Amino acid sequence: MEQQNKEDVLILAIETSCDETAASVVKNGREVLSNVIYTQIALHTLYGGVVPEIASRKHIEKINQVIEEALRQAEVTLGDISAIAVTYGPGLVGALLVGVSEAKALSFAAGIPLVGVHHISGHISANYIEYPELEPPFVCMVASGGHSHLVVVKDYGEYEIIGRTRDDAAGEAFDKVARAIGLGYPGGPKIDRLSREGNPDAVSFPRARVAENQYDFSFSGLKSAVLNYLNSCQMKGEEINQADVAASFQKAVIDVLVEHSIHAVKEFGYDRFAIAGGVASNSSLRAAFEEQCAGQGIRFFHPSPALCTDNAAMIGAAGYYEYIKGVRHGYDLNAVPNLKLSENTSATVADKGFS
Ligand code: KG4
Ligand code: ZN
């Protein structure tokens, strides 16, 4: 058994907000003792996207196994665990409910404190695992399947959103365009791979600006421009070069994410910038940020790709900082599919009257 100090805080984290059933044991917020992910991707590929009902059923089937495996790999038992952290939103309600119910049951049965975690706070906190020396404040760009946010991380669990998407999230645009050019699900990694063989300047796609807020994003116009381009090629009987379309679309997304982010970092006077979320695992995006940050004297933080896409270790990191702040949820904790990223994640708990 792993030797633990009495003062060590061990978090058992559970994440089931979408199509990954995940559990992890994280020590003192930064050290990952285990990170187990059962991915349902192959199952949903059949349908071209995540089917919520199937996701929930699969979570129920797998959750106990995944948790047992996380404890086994960490060489600990429930008796060693200081708190159970669980994603309670945002996400698919049925999927979230599986994790939340499981966490409540374990918490009740074993008498372990329960801490609800915001999924996006988890994504941002993946950076704390990758960079043990990283502390707030810094600017973070979060781009996932459901969110595209520019956030000032003021302190642990304290966020100021300075930019958000007005329509589609970046990952959603990747998924929709991948479907349109016949790549199927999951779109992001497929476009990432195919783009390496394409010319990013082959097709000129728009880079949208939002007049009211220079840090906001809009990706639905870009998605429509790709669809229009595909239609016009079809009508003219021209063959489509999938790799060129993928690379040109990807470049358009990356240009906007990079431009807005670097502008915000400089304008708000920070010298540290992090990325998070599934889209942050994109190889060209990482290279573009690397280059821009180096050129502007900004220190760039980027979790390894496996910590960018959904996992429970990131929930363990975020949960640890909530736990040491004294956040505890009661058994009335519920799944909140549209949970907002508030300025202070622990304040949300107090507002809702959770004990
Ligand atoms: O953070 P995440 O795993 O789940 C959500 O919280 O949504 O993000 C999933 C999204 C999907 O839209 C997926 O297509 C996108 O991240 N994604 C990528 C890459 N890997 C995943 N997008 C671009 N390039 C990638 N390599
Ligand atoms: Zn996510």
Side-chain angles (χ1 to χ4, degrees):
M1 173 181 289
E2 166 114 349
Q3 211 47 46
Q4 307 298 343
N5 244 321
K6 263 210 163 91
E7 303 81 56
D8 283 338
V9 174
L10 290 189
I11 304 284
L12 169 64
I14 300 172
E15 154 65 43
T16 64
S17 67
C18 191
D19 58 348
E20 322 278 2
T21 317
S24 167
V25 178
V26 177
K27 183 166 152 182
N28 301 327
R30 308 255 178 173
E31 194 186 329
V32 179
L33 302 187
S34 65
N35 189 16
V36 178
I37 303 177
Y38 170 79
T39 178
Q40 305 181 1
I41 285 179
L43 197 64
H44 298 285
T45 300
L46 277 174
Y47 307 94
V50 179
V51 182
E53 181 62 24
I54 294 176
S56 318
R57 283 166 190 259
K58 210 62 190 174
H59 284 314
I60 292 175
E61 213 178 295
K62 292 288 170 188
I63 187 81
N64 281 320
Q65 252 174 291
V66 166
I67 291 173
E68 272 170 22
E69 185 58 20
L71 291 170
R72 197 190 63 76
Q73 286 184 15
E75 298 182 36
V76 298
T77 64
L78 270 183
D80 302 312
I81 298 295
S82 320
I84 297 173
V86 63
T87 307
Y88 73 109
L92 301 169
V93 66
L96 287 165
L97 267 174
V98 177
V100 169
S101 309
E102 177 81 19
K104 288 199 284 192
L106 280 178
S107 161
F108 181 69
I112 304 170
L114 176 70
V115 178
V117 172
H118 191 291
H119 183 73
I120 299 300
S121 183
H123 272 303
I124 295 169
S125 302
N127 282 284
Y128 300 137
I129 298 171
E130 198 75 46
Y131 301 94
E133 74 283 11
L134 174 64
E135 287 179 13
F138 56 92
V139 175
C140 188
M141 192 251 355
V142 194
S144 69
H147 300 84
S148 303
H149 284 338
L150 257 179
V151 178
V152 175
V153 182
K154 294 166 144 179
D155 203 342
Y156 295 107
E158 280 183 39
Y159 305 107
E160 181 188 348
I161 299 178
I162 54 176
R164 47 162 54 86
T165 183
R166 294 294 179 109
D167 36 61
D168 292 353
E172 198 179 346
F174 268 94
D175 294 334
K176 287 176 177 169
V177 165
R179 200 173 309 146
I181 57 177
L183 296 180
Y185 169 87
K190 290 193 170 169
I191 289 191
D192 190 353
R193 229 170 293 126
L194 186 62
S195 292
R196 290 176 203 151
E197 295 153 30
N199 172 9
D201 301 314
V203 192
S204 161
F205 289 131
R207 274 79 170 148
R209 283 178 196 285
V210 177
E212 301 85 60
N213 180 359
Q214 57 184 330
Y215 304 119
D216 277 357
F217 305 104
S218 166
F219 294 110
S220 75
L222 170 60
K223 176 193 65 191
S224 304
V226 175
L227 294 179
N228 289 341
Y229 173 80
L230 296 175
N231 277 340
S232 82
C233 287
Q234 204 178 19
M235 295 212 303
K236 287 187 254 173
E238 288 173 6
E239 207 173 304
I240 291 155
N241 183 323
Q242 272 187 325
D244 281 353
V245 179
S248 302
F249 157 78
Q250 180 174 278
K251 179 85 184 341
V253 176
I254 293 173
D255 280 356
V256 171
L257 292 175
V258 170
E259 194 198 311
H260 289 204
S261 302
I262 299 294
H263 189 195
V265 175
K266 298 187 86 171
E267 202 68 13
F268 282 75
Y270 291 93
D271 59 0
R272 290 174 311 157
F273 171 70
I275 56 174
V279 179
S281 64
N282 184 279
S283 54
S284 303
L285 177 139
R286 295 162 81 87
F289 271 120
E290 190 98 57
E291 191 190 324
Q292 280 297 318
C293 287
Q296 314 261 355
I298 299 166
R299 180 137 187 239
F300 176 44
F301 300 89
H302 46 286
S304 53
L307 285 174
C308 287
T309 46
D310 287 349
N311 65 87
M314 67 185 198
I315 303 302
Y320 167 79
Y321 288 103
E322 298 291 310
Y323 175 75
I324 60 170
K325 267 195 259 175
V327 173
R328 306 287 184 271
H329 280 88
Y331 297 127
D332 53 354
L333 179 69
N334 204 354
V336 185
N338 59 352
L339 185 66
K340 298 279 172 285
L341 187 66
S342 59
E343 282 187 10
N344 187 328
T345 43
S346 43
T348 321
V349 178
D351 291 348
K352 288 195 172 157
F354 291 127
S355 52

